[in-house]
Amino acid sequence: MVQERIILGIDPGTNIMGFGVIKVVGQKMEFVQLNELLLQKVSDPYIKLKRIFERTIELIDTHHPDEIAIEEPFFGVNVQSMLKLGRAQGVTMAAGLSRGIPISAYEPKKIKMAVTGNGNASKEQVAKMLQQLLNIKDLPKNLDSTDGLAAAVCHFLNSSRVVSSSSYSGWDAFVKQNQDRIKK
């Protein structure tokens, strides 16, 4: 019997949240959807987080993913930007964990390496490779959605190997694996 699973990939952001969904049948990927949640016109940062949470829940209820792969924020110089991205990632993780879905997080370089073979590939190179791998006819104007899709593909490509990314099956697992982050 061929095993089937759905992987939701998310590139969390406070201006644009990109996401993609793939279906895995045996060892073959099938493209399901890619899109983005546009938040540039929302001025209240807490409303943005609420919308990210609600959209993630909506995606979970629509596609019933077995796993969620999230792109981790890259480490930049701007502390405020990192804080905003970390909050977006946290809200996305909370939505998945609230439904009991295992979460895996991947660094941008690891995602690029898995999809293109080059950890320094551009967004355009990643999008073109996804287009070829998944037979996507037209690429979107903004490439945040392909970043989300790339996270899902990276997760699939790494799922048969031991990976060093973070993976959590619920709040208890997260707490157990992150004792150093807990204030006592």
Side-chain angles (χ1 to χ4, degrees), residues 106 110 155-167:
Y106 297 93
K110 183 163 183 130
H155 182 68
F156 164 71
L157 294 173
N158 283 286
S159 61
S160 61
R161 300 179 223 147
V162 175
V163 293
S164 62
S165 65
S166 305
S167 189

Side-chain angles (χ1 to χ4, degrees), residues 48-137:
K48 285 183 179 193
L49 294 174
K50 179 179 184 269
R51 291 205 180 145
I52 291 168
F53 183 87
E54 290 171 343
R55 182 65 173 129
T56 304
I57 291 292
E58 183 181 307
L59 288 166
I60 291 167
D61 290 347
T62 301
H63 297 288
H64 307 288
D66 299 291
E67 299 156 277
I68 297 175
I70 298 175
E71 181 175 322
E72 290 185 334
F74 60 91
F75 294 99
V77 180
N78 187 329
V79 176
Q80 286 301 315
S81 293
M82 287 301 303
L83 180 60
K84 289 175 186 176
L85 287 173
R87 287 176 176 166
Q89 182 188 30
V91 166
T92 304
M93 293 172 81
L97 293 171
S98 74
R99 297 296 171 95
I101 301 170
I103 308 286
S104 296
Y106 297 93
E107 295 174 359
K109 281 188 177 264
K110 183 163 183 130
I111 293 172
K112 291 174 181 181
M113 179 62 86
V115 174
T116 69
N118 176 3
N120 295 314
S122 68
K123 280 181 173 274
E124 292 78 16
Q125 290 171 317
V126 171
K128 283 290 188 190
M129 184 59 78
L130 289 170
Q131 188 174 29
Q132 290 178 3
L133 285 171
L134 298 168
N135 297 316
I136 301 169
K137 291 184 183 181

